Amino acid sequence: MRGLFYFIGICILSLTACQNNPSPLKGKSKAKPHLTIVCFNGYEITEAKKLGRELTAYYGIVVDSIKQDKLPAFTFYKPRSRYLADSILKYLKGYTLKSNYVLGLCHVDIGHQRGKIKDYGIFGLGYEPGLCAVASDCRIKKSKQVRNYATAFLCMNNVVRHELGHNFGLPHCTNKKCLLSAADGSISNIIMGYKTLCQKCHDTIY
């Protein structure tokens, strides 16, 4: 009987440890996570490589490969001529067989379910925690506040690092200066310079 209680106690501790440590970045002894980047509908590979280097520099994630693909028809929301990010993430799951994480990049407008709104416009979306994320520069390039390439890339860089942060287990942060603060569809929160994790969020995943 004592052995049974000991076994149950170990199982509970193991489950608790797993729940409190969803991040693959914790522990110096662990292997670095790997990423596949998928360029949808003509998204430039050169841009994907640049963003990949930024992700490697910031999170230490290893970019295994960069693929080209077309967004499947079931992800398109005809009433608003917009693609549904939730559906794109489901499609990207097929790539996780070849890599730990998958990031989809596109120029088209994307949205997702938010309350009663089926296609609320967004910059990106990532499972929290999970293996897939998607980011679009459509709203970035349409913004009047974005006047040059450098600013557009800065914004996209903030978006992809934000979504990967969700994949690593981070929720939205109330600290507006933090990389994981919610954009809420506004360009103002991602155009304010190169964003980094606040100390609390950093300590959560490292």
Side-chain angles (χ1 to χ4, degrees):
M1 182 64 72
R2 182 180 298 175
L4 177 61
F5 283 126
Y6 177 78
F7 175 74
I8 293 174
I10 291 296
C11 289
I12 291 174
L13 286 173
S14 298
L15 287 172
T16 303
C18 289
Q19 290 173 346
N20 292 335
N21 185 19
S23 170
L25 306 179
K26 275 191 177 293
K28 294 182 179 179
S29 61
K30 290 191 175 182
K32 291 183 178 179
H34 287 237
L35 174 73
T36 292
I37 298 178
V38 182
C39 297
F40 284 117
N41 295 26
Y43 191 94
E44 297 81 1
I45 290 181
T46 53
E47 288 299 294
K49 286 181 177 179
K50 289 181 66 176
L51 289 170
R53 287 194 290 269
E54 292 289 338
L55 289 169
T56 299
Y58 193 70
Y59 286 122
I61 194 165
V62 178
V63 179
D64 282 331
S65 60
I66 297 177
K67 308 287 187 181
Q68 291 180 307
D69 202 347
K70 291 183 178 181
L71 287 165
F74 75 86
T75 65
F76 186 64
Y77 185 60
K78 191 174 181 179
R80 295 288 294 277
S81 295
R82 183 178 289 166
Y83 288 82
L84 300 178
D86 313 73
S87 299
I88 297 174
L89 293 186
K90 291 178 181 178
Y91 177 73
L92 286 173
K93 283 183 178 180
Y95 280 92
T96 60
L97 298 175
K98 301 177 182 179
S99 187
N100 296 121
Y101 293 87
V102 183
L103 170 66
L105 300 174
C106 59
H107 294 307
V108 299
D109 198 15
I110 60 176
H112 83 122
Q113 185 82 34
R114 181 170 179 174
K116 295 182 179 180
I117 304 175
K118 184 175 181 179
D119 64 328
Y120 183 85
I122 56 175
F123 299 106
L125 187 68
Y127 287 131
E128 178 204 319
L131 303 177
C132 305
V134 61
S136 165
D137 64 1
C138 178
R139 292 173 171 269
I140 293 172
K141 291 187 173 181
K142 285 184 177 180
S143 172
K144 294 181 180 180
Q145 297 181 58
V146 179
R147 300 177 180 177
N148 54 56
Y149 170 80
T151 303
F153 183 80
L154 169 72
C155 291
M156 193 62 167
N157 187 3
N158 283 334
V159 172
V160 296
R161 288 183 298 114
H162 175 104
E163 301 309 337
L164 261 293
H166 283 317
N167 281 176
F168 297 148
L170 289 174
H172 279 143
C173 182
T174 56
N175 184 340
K176 291 298 182 182
K177 294 183 179 180
C178 179
L179 176 63
L180 263 291
S181 61
D184 290 326
S186 172
I187 193 74
S188 300
N189 197 40
I190 62 172
I191 201 174
M192 54 192 298
Y194 183 85
K195 302 191 74 174
T196 58
L197 295 173
C198 67
Q199 194 62 51
K200 181 180 179 181
C201 288
H202 178 276
D203 293 346
T204 299
I205 64 172
Y206 287 102

